[in-house]
Amino acid sequence: GGSHGVAAMCSGGAGGGGGGSAAFDPLGTGGGVQQGGKSNTPEFGIAKTPYVDMLQQYLLRWAYLQRQITFWMDWYERRKNLVMGTTLSTQNFALLGIAVLLLAAVVLPTRFLVLLVIYSLFYEGLGQGSLFRKNRLTFIKALKDTATWWLGSEEARARVEAWGPHTSLDDVIESGVPLLKLRDWIRSEFFEDLPMVPLRAVQRCGSLGELAQLVTRTSDQFAKRRQRTRVWWRSTFRNLLDHVPSDVTLFQPLTCL
């Protein structure tokens, strides 16, 4: 009699009789099975659980912070070694440059020198901004070429050609590019190793410009500093600092080959 009762309970639960009972959920999530045969239970795998996605997001932030710390440590170490006279040739050249600046301060008005320094700062920022915009356009062009290859219809391809930095991410999804497929393409093309861009970071981007900025700032495939022309009369101080040794390697962990 007990076996018949258990069989009846199992057949009643599987058949969905009596008002549509929920399917067996061993994880206790209450998800069950949706219409169409797709399960809404959590998927376990790389970057498919919120904990792994959160870990990858923190690793991405730490990689960006580590890059900034390395840059500013190198910035400080080179200038400190220049003042302390680590190398004789750079020290003599720096003293000669200071003498020229003192002579210019005596001959020229001080406001002209201050304006020259301000102009050089804004000119450097203009060059960096041009590099960042070029990187974003390169990313968007690569995405458009790949999306054109993904989509088969001519109408969808015509919509892809109209994409730009101000195109919303919702328009990209409506064109037929799934968000998960976009994230996987970004990882395979621009991130060879951890950390990788998590899916949640892609979802937070409102436009292709924001997504391009996220990828170009965190990926090593894009240049972060523009290449300077090696002439003595242009960026003289920066060219001098390239010949000054840096002690930033002393703060890095020792690796054995």
Side-chain angles (χ1 to χ4, degrees):
S3 61
H4 292 290
V6 173
M9 292 174 61
C10 293
S11 62
S21 59
F24 176 66
D25 187 5
L27 298 176
T29 58
V33 179
Q34 295 178 348
Q35 295 180 357
K38 295 182 179 180
S39 175
N40 59 358
T41 56
E43 297 177 316
F44 289 91
I46 183 68
K48 292 187 178 181
T49 60
Y51 302 105
V52 177
D53 189 69
M54 187 182 303
L55 176 62
Q56 291 180 355
Q57 187 173 359
Y58 280 118
L59 288 176
L60 186 66
R61 292 179 179 178
W62 168 248
Y64 180 77
L65 180 61
Q66 187 179 15
R67 187 181 292 112
Q68 295 294 321
I69 292 176
T70 304
F71 169 77
W72 286 111
M73 287 179 63
D74 182 77
W75 186 91
Y76 165 75
E77 289 294 333
R78 290 183 184 275
R79 284 157 178 80
K80 185 259 296 182
N81 291 335
L82 178 63
V83 174
M84 299 299 295
T86 304
T87 57
L88 182 61
S89 57
T90 56
Q91 181 70 16
N92 294 334
F93 193 84
L95 291 177
L96 179 62
I98 292 175
V100 172
L101 290 178
L102 290 176
L103 181 61
V106 172
V107 176
L108 299 176
T110 308
R111 59 179 180 272
F112 288 166
L113 299 178
V114 173
L115 289 176
L116 181 62
V117 172
I118 296 176
Y119 172 79
S120 63
L121 293 177
F122 276 93
Y123 184 79
E124 180 67 22
L126 179 63
Q128 286 296 115
S130 301
L131 176 62
F132 292 154
R133 288 190 293 270
K134 180 181 178 182
N135 291 340
R136 288 196 293 266
L137 293 178
T138 302
F139 170 80
I140 295 176
K141 184 180 183 302
L143 177 59
K144 291 170 62 175
D145 295 340
T146 307
T148 303
W149 181 71
W150 285 342
L151 304 176
S153 62
E154 294 296 334
E155 181 181 358
R157 292 181 178 179
R159 296 179 61 182
V160 169
E161 292 298 329
W163 287 358
H166 300 288
T167 303
S168 63
L169 209 59
D170 295 335
D171 294 340
V172 176
I173 299 174
E174 292 177 359
S175 299
V177 179
L179 195 61
L180 186 61
K181 189 175 183 178
L182 176 60
R183 192 280 312 269
D184 294 339
W185 173 78
I186 292 175
R187 286 185 171 183
S188 62
E189 291 292 330
F190 303 103
F191 294 90
E192 298 179 355
D193 199 357
L194 291 175
M196 299 179 293
V197 174
L199 182 61
R200 186 170 300 177
V202 178
Q203 291 175 342
R204 290 176 178 174
C205 298
S207 62
L208 281 182
E210 296 180 3
L211 180 61
Q213 182 178 2
L214 172 66
V215 176
T216 55
R217 289 292 181 91
T218 54
S219 175
D220 294 333
Q221 303 294 330
F222 298 93
K224 304 300 185 296
R225 294 288 172 182
R226 63 189 184 94
Q227 297 294 330
R228 301 190 309 273
T229 305
R230 296 293 181 174
V231 290
W232 67 269
W233 51 269
R234 191 171 184 179
S235 300
T236 306
F237 183 69
R238 293 180 181 272
N239 294 333
L240 176 64
L241 288 177
D242 290 339
H243 298 277
V244 179
S246 175
D247 299 334
V248 69
T249 54
L250 299 177
F251 301 96
Q252 296 178 351
L254 179 62
T255 56
C256 299
L257 298 178

